[in-house]
Amino acid sequence: MQFLFTTEGWCRRMGLAASRRMLARIVVVTAVGLAVSCGSDNPGPTIAVGAGDSMESNLLAQIYAGALARTGARTSVTADLGSRADYLAALDAGTVTVVGEHSGELLTFLNADAQARKPEVTTEVADKSAPVRLSVTEELNRSLPEGLAVSDPADGTDMRARVLLTEAAGKEVRSLGALAPRCGVIQAGVASVPGVLQTAAPVRIAGCDFAGTRPYPDATALRKALLDGEIQAGILTGPPVLTPGATDGLTVLADNDYAVRAENVLAVYRKGLLDDRQIKKLNYVAGELTTDELAEMIRKVREGAAAAEVARTWLDNHAL
């Protein structure tokens, strides 16, 4: 990190000024708050932010590292850690302190039997016998290994898989809930959205078990198969904004009831290694990040921009 002045230089000037008694009382009072830093320039241990193999994972790591650095911490990015299992193992082992994740995918990884689907749940208190429903974040917190915690989820991000139909079929079926009774006779195709965090296979859609699924190499091939009638439904493993043109002439089904579990970006971190100000900084990032902005940043990295520079620009634009 670069500073406008060093702590040593500040302390030397403070000592010289004090010896000459040239500071006004207000300056002396202000200097008391700075005196604690005059003994050392050490900002503390380096906070290592981990990243897996995807562009999104690396980009989130750069955003978190840059944000934490602006609290005065020394940070680094440990990239190319591998799959979700690999970078979570590095987090568990203490090799890294923070990683970026998706709430629903992380919950699925940690607890295959988890039932939560919505990002927020309003518990009905009228029926005392009804089971308590949990949000994805609440159930995720209960499923985290000892010693780990998560930041606030970025509510403006929606990284869920999307289900596609032709426009003609979409006039009859506009939502995943309406599609569910027909899933048993539908052949579906699946295409991955490049650059995003790893998605569990198969994509889980509550109440919808397709008669069969087949993989396609990309979103363009999936679109062609749908339009040609080769399949009756398509599944994109991430937001269509990351695959421009791939949904032209198709209908993206609404999923307001979260048949596909909520997927919001959040940071996972080791407890006890971040102070309150640093945790708040991660939460500030969550409050600003949106799907469209994240997609735009991923596209820039795809086109050759350095992830660290893209992250720095985003942080600057949001005064983080």
Side-chain angles (χ1 to χ4, degrees), residues 5-308:
F5 52 82
T6 65
T7 305
E8 180 182 357
W10 172 260
C11 295
R12 186 166 56 249
R13 289 194 293 273
M14 286 295 298
L16 182 60
S19 66
R20 294 177 179 176
R21 302 184 180 277
M22 296 179 64
L23 293 176
R25 181 178 299 273
I26 186 64
V27 177
V28 173
V29 171
T30 304
V32 172
L34 294 170
V36 294
S37 68
C38 291
S40 173
D41 287 330
N42 186 2
T46 298
I47 299 173
V49 184
D53 293 338
S54 70
M55 289 182 185
E56 181 189 358
S57 186
N58 185 43
L59 186 56
L60 290 174
Q62 296 291 350
I63 290 172
Y64 294 142
L68 291 170
R70 296 180 185 203
T71 69
R74 182 165 45 207
T75 65
S76 65
V77 172
T78 304
D80 300 321
L81 288 174
S83 67
R84 174 170 284 112
D86 295 324
Y87 61 72
L88 290 178
L91 183 65
D92 186 57
T95 306
V96 297
T97 303
V98 183
V99 298
E101 258 294 356
H102 292 172
S103 56
E105 291 292 347
L106 181 58
L107 176 58
T108 299
F109 180 84
L110 295 174
N111 183 359
D113 297 324
Q115 299 300 309
R117 312 206 67 81
K118 295 184 178 182
E120 295 181 1
V121 173
T122 302
T123 303
E124 299 292 340
V125 295
D127 184 0
K128 300 296 184 181
S129 65
V132 176
R133 295 175 299 166
L134 299 175
S135 70
V136 168
T137 305
E138 289 170 333
E139 194 156 2
L140 175 57
N141 275 305
R142 294 188 178 194
S143 303
L144 285 169
E146 186 68 26
L148 298 186
V150 294
S151 71
D152 292 343
D155 295 333
T157 59
D158 183 357
M159 306 304 288
R160 287 180 293 169
R162 307 301 205 272
V163 176
L164 315 175
L165 300 179
T166 62
E167 286 186 343
K171 290 179 180 179
E172 299 180 16
V173 179
R174 297 186 178 275
S175 70
L176 268 178
L179 181 69
R182 312 183 187 192
C183 289
V185 295
I186 290 177
Q187 293 289 330
V190 182
S192 296
V193 173
V196 299
L197 284 166
Q198 179 183 356
T199 302
V203 174
R204 299 185 182 186
I205 304 173
C208 178
D209 293 318
F210 290 113
T213 58
R214 65 183 73 174
Y216 286 86
D218 53 43
T220 301
L222 180 69
R223 174 178 179 271
K224 184 177 186 304
L226 261 175
L227 293 176
D228 289 348
E230 186 176 311
I231 52 177
Q232 293 81 54
I235 303 172
L236 275 180
T237 62
V241 66
L242 279 162
T243 56
T247 59
D248 290 350
L250 302 177
T251 297
V252 180
L253 293 184
D255 186 19
N256 297 329
D257 293 327
Y258 287 87
V260 177
R261 179 175 282 160
E263 298 291 353
N264 301 110
V265 171
L266 45 67
V268 192
Y269 60 90
R270 290 186 63 83
K271 292 180 179 178
L273 299 182
L274 301 179
D275 61 31
D276 288 344
R277 187 167 57 140
Q278 291 159 353
I279 293 171
K280 286 180 180 178
K281 182 67 78 168
L282 295 178
N283 291 337
Y284 292 154
V285 169
E288 297 293 328
L289 194 61
T290 67
T291 306
D292 287 346
E293 288 179 327
L294 182 56
E296 178 62 23
M297 286 188 281
I298 291 173
R299 283 199 295 268
K300 288 179 179 178
V301 175
R302 279 184 194 165
E303 294 167 359

